[in-house]
């Protein structure tokens, strides 16, 4: 649901934030500050949001009927409450939580397009796929969203297979490479019009890192309209 959702981008192509601990702390503290803004229902951060281009990855499947097989899939990291902030329905399993850390079992949430394409099962909770060096366990299934293919820029936006990982479980190498190409988005859902919201979001980020400005703000409605017109 793109209504009442404002997003802001900031560049994390900064050696300080190649360190996962510093990166994780920045996201948690800034999201907490934005959640305290009057009128904000929920807040989150993700590497990419619906309707945008997104990172593509090749995923071998280590178990089940497609053992040893694989295919390309889109991926993004998120903080908890991403699905709540965008009202993407959680269809099975659970959301990410504070218990998903760099020292716990790697986990992922997949969308229904990925379930159909990779597993052919209604609920693949507990199944696995390989992402980089990690074997991820599927802990949740969410509804499909529209995104723009990075493989074919002339392709229409559509519900491609996507998997989501918690921001706490991305590697330093991934952060260094991904943030060269993508600026993550801070996302807030409000319960209506919030006067001065952009300024309040910038102040919330500056309270955590005064040297990190947002590069731009956009509503999810505007992003959807822009992508449809491309």
């Amino acid at each position: 649901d793109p209504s009442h959702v404002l997003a802001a981008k900031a560049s994390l192509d900064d050696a300080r934030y190649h360190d996962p601990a510093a990166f994780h702390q920045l996201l948690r503290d800034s999201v907490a500050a934005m959640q305290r803004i009057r009128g904000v229902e929920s807040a989150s951060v993700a590497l990419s949001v619906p309707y945008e281009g997104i990172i593509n990855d090749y995923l071998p499947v280590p178990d089940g009927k497609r053992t040893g097989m694989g295919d390309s899939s889109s991926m993004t990291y998120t903080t908890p409450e991403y699905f709540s902030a965008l009202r993407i329905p959680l269809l099975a399993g659970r959301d990410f939580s504070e218990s998903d850390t760099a020292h716990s079992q790697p986990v992922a949430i997949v969308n229904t397009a990925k379930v159909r394409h990779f597993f052919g099962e209604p609920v693949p909770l507990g199944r696995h796929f390989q992402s980089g060096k990690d074997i991820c366990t599927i802990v949740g299934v969410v509804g499909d969203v529209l995104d723009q293919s990075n493989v074919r820029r002339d392709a229409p936006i559509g519900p491609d297979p996507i998997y989501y990982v918690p921001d706490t479980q991305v590697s330093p190498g991934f952060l260094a490479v991904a943030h060269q190409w993508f600026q993550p988005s801070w996302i807030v859902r409000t319960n209506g019009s919030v006067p001065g919201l952009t300024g309040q979001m910038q102040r919330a980020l500056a309270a955590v890192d005064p040297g990190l400005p947002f590069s731009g703000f956009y509503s999810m409605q505007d992003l959807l309209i822009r992508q449809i017109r491309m």
Side-chain angles (χ1 to χ4, degrees):
D1 178 7
S3 61
H4 301 300
V5 177
L6 183 68
K9 288 188 176 295
S11 173
L12 294 186
D13 188 16
D14 184 322
R16 294 176 300 159
Y17 296 123
H18 295 175
D19 172 47
F23 163 74
H24 169 66
Q25 198 63 50
L26 169 72
L27 269 52
R28 284 297 183 273
D29 290 350
S30 58
V31 165
M34 290 178 196
Q35 288 173 330
R36 292 192 291 269
I37 297 172
R38 186 182 299 273
V40 169
E41 292 184 354
S42 54
S44 184
V45 183
L47 180 61
S48 59
V49 296
Y51 321 135
E52 288 188 316
I54 193 169
I55 285 179
N56 296 103
D57 194 10
Y58 181 83
L59 303 176
V61 178
D63 62 8
K65 295 180 180 179
R66 295 193 62 184
T67 297
M69 301 175 66
D71 207 338
S72 63
S73 183
S74 299
M75 71 84 67
T76 185
Y77 64 68
T78 77
T79 63
E81 295 197 33
Y82 172 80
F83 304 108
S84 173
L86 290 177
R87 293 183 179 167
I88 298 171
L90 180 66
L91 305 177
R94 66 171 178 87
D95 197 348
F96 298 134
S97 72
E98 296 297 334
S99 64
D100 297 316
T101 70
H103 306 293
S104 63
Q105 168 66 38
V107 297
I109 293 172
V110 299
N111 70 339
T112 53
K114 184 170 175 60
V115 172
R116 290 190 302 269
H117 185 71
F118 280 80
F119 300 104
E121 300 175 5
V123 181
L125 298 180
R127 293 287 303 279
H128 304 88
F129 61 85
Q130 186 171 342
S131 176
K133 296 180 180 179
D134 293 329
I135 301 296
C136 294
T137 300
I138 296 172
V139 296
V141 178
V142 294
D144 290 337
V145 298
L146 301 177
D147 68 4
Q148 176 67 53
S149 171
N150 277 339
V151 177
R152 289 188 55 207
R153 286 294 185 178
D154 60 334
I157 58 176
D160 291 332
I162 302 173
Y163 74 98
Y164 306 84
V165 297
D167 67 287
T168 51
Q169 295 186 341
V170 291
S171 68
F174 176 87
L175 292 176
V177 173
H179 291 157
Q180 287 182 0
W181 300 98
F182 292 85
Q183 291 188 10
S185 294
W186 278 252
I187 305 153
V188 298
R189 174 174 291 280
T190 65
N191 55 20
S193 177
V194 176
L197 180 57
T198 57
Q200 293 188 75
M201 289 176 66
Q202 183 63 75
R203 287 191 291 274
L205 183 63
V208 182
D209 183 348
L212 182 63
F214 283 127
S215 61
F217 292 83
Y218 58 97
S219 73
M220 292 300 297
Q221 291 276 23
D222 288 343
L223 180 58
L224 172 59
I225 291 170
R226 185 164 68 246
Q227 292 292 60
I228 289 175
R229 289 175 175 172
M230 286 180 66

